[in-house]
Amino acid sequence: DVNEYALSTGFDLSTAVYAGDDEKFSVSGQESSPIDLDFNSDGTRMFVMGWTGNDINEYTLSTGFDVSTASFVDSFSVSSQDIIPEDVAFNDDGTKMFVLGRNDTDVNEYTLSCAYKVTSSSTCDDPSTIKEVRGLIDAQIETAKNFAKDSSASAFKRLSILRAEKHDGSTSQNIDINFQNPALAQLIDVMPVSTSDKLNPLQKIIPDDWATWSEGSVSFGKIGETNLSSAQDMTSLGISIGADKKVNENRLLGVVLRVGNNDVDVGTYGSAVDTDAISLSLYGSNGLNEDQFLDHVIGVSLLNSDIVRKNSGNTNTQTGERDGKQIFSSLKFGREFEYNDMNITPTGRMDGSFTHLNAYTESGNEAIKYNDQDIVSLMTSLGMMIDRDISLENSIVISRVNLEYGKDFASSSKVVTRYTSDNNTTYSYQANKQDRDILTAGFGFDFTHIQGLTISADYQKQKIISEGSIDTLLLAASFVSKRETEYAMTLEGTDDFAVGLNVAKNINGFNFTVGSNYTLMSEIPDYGAILKVSNTF
């Protein structure tokens, strides 16, 4: 028999109380000389080793660790390895089994096709009940939804800055980008529109009456662990490069290219989703009357994710690569009010996206195949932004704060999986189905100097009720001199970062360039200087 005892103090045998004959379970039908006992992590599988059969008998329990609910599944013989087995144990994720034998005085190791599947009659656990699997699926869904929303947000941010500055479409914010390390995609050069070699890439192909702009963002956040899914730690970097044109007094049109990298660490064992994405969007703003506007964005994206799953330390690792494509759209309606020296703008916004993730199959032991997956997302929000102009002697500062309440109310994604070791059994569940309430608060400023220097910075915190939060920092800068002088600041590198400053001026047709650079974070700092004079004949 397997007898059950309840301990009033965990692991203190002196507090054990026999649960009664009604709670015990007889294994005599399978083994007359049981010698060892073990359970899986949640107590829904029990394994009894015996000398009579020299085997391991597997049972399923409908209630974890309640042996009275046990049902026999099948037996697995170890007699080929040892005829007197004494002990059985599993690794943390149940993908390896170890049997101690007295006859040969050795430990025999067995690899299981999936967690705790000892016998041929046993079945693998539903992948959706594995917290690391669920966490990785959730991370892919959130990455897709957030990238679509961030792509729209960069365009909306541009439009709000133009309205705040009563912009006429002639000033540009330009950033030249160098992705030497995709995981550390950094903002590299700040450069005006000119004949210089370091131009905003869009400036080379767009007409002269279009203005270019750029924006960089860094986000980091955490979604807490639940009883179904592992925790997620998120870090994302994004760069937007755009161009727009004022069609008339009430209409503006533009295009924006966004590239981003999103890294999500899932759980505590090393599981992760690393996604590179690129989107192309068309955006615009229509003035409905003097103080009302309607902003709109529509775009497409491509996503590529490298996925690593580790259920328990480095014991077992599964890897995979997944591609996806996406279409998204956003609408934002607002009305501007003036109160004293402040501008108050209440807004309503709707974001929708549809993402298709391709099927992929993990490599490694206990590998899972994931079918094609569609992600539908629809979110509405109400917000308010308050900004104020502060005029200084040679510059203007526009400060702002914003508050927003959003509801993710129509999101869904069906997930279908199966183990590569069992193509006949599929598992499915509906992910990302519950409604979510999201609160966002932020503040920022734009600094514009009379000589052409523009610096923009924003910070916002997004609170997902009962789940976690995301913090985002957005930065943009440019310098357009009024005296035919160009300034460029650079920050670049992978392991050793270098900072530099270049100044260029055209005098009577000759281009004069003076520059310097200094290597940061290096054991041997490197300093350099440059003087260049050129002319085109």
mmCIF file of all heavy atoms in Angstrom, residues 411-430:
data_model
loop_
_atom_site.group_PDB
_atom_site.id
_atom_site.type_symbol
_atom_site.label_atom_id
_atom_site.label_comp_id
_atom_site.label_asym_id
_atom_site.label_seq_id
_atom_site.Cartn_x
_atom_site.Cartn_y
_atom_site.Cartn_z
ATOM 1 N N SER A 411 -9.059 41.351 -27.695
ATOM 2 C CA SER A 411 -7.862 40.648 -28.126
ATOM 3 C C SER A 411 -8.055 39.144 -27.991
ATOM 4 O O SER A 411 -8.685 38.674 -27.044
ATOM 5 C CB SER A 411 -6.651 41.086 -27.297
ATOM 6 O OG SER A 411 -6.381 42.450 -27.503
ATOM 7 N N SER A 412 -7.496 38.395 -28.928
ATOM 8 C CA SER A 412 -7.602 36.944 -28.859
ATOM 9 C C SER A 412 -6.546 36.318 -29.746
ATOM 10 O O SER A 412 -6.072 36.930 -30.710
ATOM 11 C CB SER A 412 -8.991 36.459 -29.286
ATOM 12 O OG SER A 412 -9.231 36.774 -30.641
ATOM 13 N N SER A 413 -6.175 35.080 -29.415
ATOM 14 C CA SER A 413 -5.219 34.339 -30.221
ATOM 15 C C SER A 413 -5.321 32.863 -29.862
ATOM 16 O O SER A 413 -5.158 32.495 -28.697
ATOM 17 C CB SER A 413 -3.793 34.845 -29.964
ATOM 18 O OG SER A 413 -2.877 34.166 -30.789
ATOM 19 N N LYS A 414 -5.601 32.035 -30.850
ATOM 20 C CA LYS A 414 -5.702 30.598 -30.626
ATOM 21 C C LYS A 414 -4.336 29.960 -30.824
ATOM 22 O O LYS A 414 -3.698 30.146 -31.852
ATOM 23 C CB LYS A 414 -6.721 29.969 -31.572
ATOM 24 C CG LYS A 414 -6.955 28.487 -31.300
ATOM 25 C CD LYS A 414 -8.010 27.900 -32.223
ATOM 26 C CE LYS A 414 -8.266 26.427 -31.921
ATOM 27 N NZ LYS A 414 -9.294 25.841 -32.814
ATOM 28 N N VAL A 415 -3.911 29.199 -29.821
ATOM 29 C CA VAL A 415 -2.603 28.554 -29.844
ATOM 30 C C VAL A 415 -2.809 27.047 -29.990
ATOM 31 O O VAL A 415 -3.527 26.434 -29.195
ATOM 32 C CB VAL A 415 -1.811 28.851 -28.563
ATOM 33 C CG1 VAL A 415 -0.440 28.181 -28.619
ATOM 34 C CG2 VAL A 415 -1.675 30.357 -28.357
ATOM 35 N N VAL A 416 -2.193 26.447 -31.006
ATOM 36 C CA VAL A 416 -2.295 25.004 -31.253
ATOM 37 C C VAL A 416 -0.882 24.419 -31.266
ATOM 38 O O VAL A 416 -0.020 24.893 -32.010
ATOM 39 C CB VAL A 416 -3.008 24.699 -32.588
ATOM 40 C CG1 VAL A 416 -3.092 23.190 -32.807
ATOM 41 C CG2 VAL A 416 -4.397 25.315 -32.598
ATOM 42 N N THR A 417 -0.653 23.394 -30.442
ATOM 43 C CA THR A 417 0.673 22.797 -30.322
ATOM 44 C C THR A 417 0.576 21.270 -30.334
ATOM 45 O O THR A 417 -0.499 20.698 -30.121
ATOM 46 C CB THR A 417 1.356 23.236 -29.015
ATOM 47 O OG1 THR A 417 0.541 22.815 -27.907
ATOM 48 C CG2 THR A 417 1.540 24.740 -28.967
ATOM 49 N N ARG A 418 1.720 20.651 -30.533
ATOM 50 C CA ARG A 418 1.841 19.203 -30.346
ATOM 51 C C ARG A 418 3.318 18.872 -30.170
ATOM 52 O O ARG A 418 4.198 19.606 -30.637
ATOM 53 C CB ARG A 418 1.249 18.432 -31.521
ATOM 54 C CG ARG A 418 1.942 18.581 -32.853
ATOM 55 C CD ARG A 418 1.294 17.672 -33.900
ATOM 56 N NE ARG A 418 1.911 17.768 -35.199
ATOM 57 C CZ ARG A 418 1.532 18.597 -36.154
ATOM 58 N NH1 ARG A 418 0.524 19.430 -35.925
ATOM 59 N NH2 ARG A 418 2.139 18.622 -37.314
ATOM 60 N N TYR A 419 3.586 17.785 -29.490
ATOM 61 C CA TYR A 419 4.958 17.332 -29.309
ATOM 62 C C TYR A 419 5.449 16.654 -30.582
ATOM 63 O O TYR A 419 4.701 15.946 -31.263
ATOM 64 C CB TYR A 419 5.054 16.361 -28.133
ATOM 65 C CG TYR A 419 4.880 17.016 -26.784
ATOM 66 C CD1 TYR A 419 3.643 17.030 -26.157
ATOM 67 C CD2 TYR A 419 5.965 17.612 -26.135
ATOM 68 C CE1 TYR A 419 3.485 17.633 -24.906
ATOM 69 C CE2 TYR A 419 5.811 18.211 -24.900
ATOM 70 C CZ TYR A 419 4.570 18.219 -24.283
ATOM 71 O OH TYR A 419 4.409 18.809 -23.052
ATOM 72 N N THR A 420 6.715 16.858 -30.890
ATOM 73 C CA THR A 420 7.274 16.220 -32.077
ATOM 74 C C THR A 420 7.325 14.702 -31.922
ATOM 75 O O THR A 420 7.364 13.971 -32.922
ATOM 76 C CB THR A 420 8.687 16.752 -32.355
ATOM 77 O OG1 THR A 420 9.513 16.543 -31.188
ATOM 78 C CG2 THR A 420 8.652 18.234 -32.682
ATOM 79 N N SER A 421 7.317 14.239 -30.669
ATOM 80 C CA SER A 421 7.348 12.797 -30.422
ATOM 81 C C SER A 421 5.971 12.157 -30.548
ATOM 82 O O SER A 421 5.843 10.927 -30.516
ATOM 83 C CB SER A 421 7.912 12.525 -29.023
ATOM 84 O OG SER A 421 7.105 13.147 -28.029
ATOM 85 N N ASP A 422 4.920 12.972 -30.681
ATOM 86 C CA ASP A 422 3.551 12.446 -30.775
ATOM 87 C C ASP A 422 2.744 13.343 -31.701
ATOM 88 O O ASP A 422 2.092 14.290 -31.270
ATOM 89 C CB ASP A 422 2.921 12.387 -29.378
ATOM 90 C CG ASP A 422 1.510 11.808 -29.407
ATOM 91 O OD1 ASP A 422 1.100 11.296 -30.476
ATOM 92 O OD2 ASP A 422 0.820 11.878 -28.374
ATOM 93 N N ASN A 423 2.775 13.043 -32.994
ATOM 94 C CA ASN A 423 2.083 13.873 -33.986
ATOM 95 C C ASN A 423 0.574 13.670 -33.981
ATOM 96 O O ASN A 423 -0.161 14.422 -34.631
ATOM 97 C CB ASN A 423 2.623 13.590 -35.387
ATOM 98 C CG ASN A 423 3.997 14.199 -35.609
ATOM 99 O OD1 ASN A 423 4.284 15.287 -35.110
ATOM 100 N ND2 ASN A 423 4.844 13.491 -36.335
ATOM 101 N N ASN A 424 0.100 12.660 -33.264
ATOM 102 C CA ASN A 424 -1.328 12.350 -33.292
ATOM 103 C C ASN A 424 -2.136 13.127 -32.254
ATOM 104 O O ASN A 424 -3.361 13.159 -32.325
ATOM 105 C CB ASN A 424 -1.540 10.846 -33.063
ATOM 106 C CG ASN A 424 -0.944 10.003 -34.178
ATOM 107 O OD1 ASN A 424 -1.019 10.376 -35.343
ATOM 108 N ND2 ASN A 424 -0.330 8.889 -33.815
ATOM 109 N N THR A 425 -1.461 13.737 -31.291
ATOM 110 C CA THR A 425 -2.169 14.443 -30.220
ATOM 111 C C THR A 425 -1.877 15.939 -30.309
ATOM 112 O O THR A 425 -0.718 16.353 -30.284
ATOM 113 C CB THR A 425 -1.743 13.930 -28.838
ATOM 114 O OG1 THR A 425 -1.934 12.518 -28.779
ATOM 115 C CG2 THR A 425 -2.573 14.589 -27.744
ATOM 116 N N THR A 426 -2.911 16.745 -30.459
ATOM 117 C CA THR A 426 -2.754 18.199 -30.490
ATOM 118 C C THR A 426 -3.393 18.815 -29.258
ATOM 119 O O THR A 426 -4.316 18.264 -28.665
ATOM 120 C CB THR A 426 -3.402 18.803 -31.744
ATOM 121 O OG1 THR A 426 -4.800 18.485 -31.754
ATOM 122 C CG2 THR A 426 -2.757 18.250 -33.005
ATOM 123 N N TYR A 427 -2.875 19.985 -28.886
ATOM 124 C CA TYR A 427 -3.381 20.713 -27.727
ATOM 125 C C TYR A 427 -3.677 22.141 -28.172
ATOM 126 O O TYR A 427 -2.931 22.721 -28.955
ATOM 127 C CB TYR A 427 -2.340 20.736 -26.606
ATOM 128 C CG TYR A 427 -1.805 19.375 -26.221
ATOM 129 C CD1 TYR A 427 -0.715 18.806 -26.899
ATOM 130 C CD2 TYR A 427 -2.370 18.650 -25.177
ATOM 131 C CE1 TYR A 427 -0.218 17.564 -26.547
ATOM 132 C CE2 TYR A 427 -1.870 17.400 -24.811
ATOM 133 C CZ TYR A 427 -0.804 16.872 -25.503
ATOM 134 O OH TYR A 427 -0.303 15.629 -25.157
ATOM 135 N N SER A 428 -4.735 22.712 -27.680
ATOM 136 C CA SER A 428 -5.079 24.080 -28.063
ATOM 137 C C SER A 428 -5.707 24.818 -26.888
ATOM 138 O O SER A 428 -6.309 24.213 -26.003
ATOM 139 C CB SER A 428 -6.041 24.084 -29.265
ATOM 140 O OG SER A 428 -7.277 23.503 -28.923
ATOM 141 N N TYR A 429 -5.530 26.115 -26.908
ATOM 142 C CA TYR A 429 -6.192 26.972 -25.921
ATOM 143 C C TYR A 429 -6.272 28.385 -26.481
ATOM 144 O O TYR A 429 -5.562 28.743 -27.423
ATOM 145 C CB TYR A 429 -5.460 26.940 -24.578
ATOM 146 C CG TYR A 429 -4.195 27.781 -24.514
ATOM 147 C CD1 TYR A 429 -4.200 29.044 -23.929
ATOM 148 C CD2 TYR A 429 -2.993 27.308 -25.038
ATOM 149 C CE1 TYR A 429 -3.045 29.798 -23.869
ATOM 150 C CE2 TYR A 429 -1.841 28.054 -24.975
ATOM 151 C CZ TYR A 429 -1.870 29.304 -24.388
ATOM 152 O OH TYR A 429 -0.729 30.061 -24.333
ATOM 153 N N GLN A 430 -7.136 29.190 -25.908
ATOM 154 C CA GLN A 430 -7.343 30.563 -26.350
ATOM 155 C C GLN A 430 -6.526 31.482 -25.456
ATOM 156 O O GLN A 430 -6.783 31.595 -24.257
ATOM 157 C CB GLN A 430 -8.824 30.932 -26.288
ATOM 158 C CG GLN A 430 -9.211 32.108 -27.158
ATOM 159 C CD GLN A 430 -9.184 31.761 -28.642
ATOM 160 O OE1 GLN A 430 -9.380 30.624 -29.025
ATOM 161 N NE2 GLN A 430 -8.948 32.760 -29.488
#
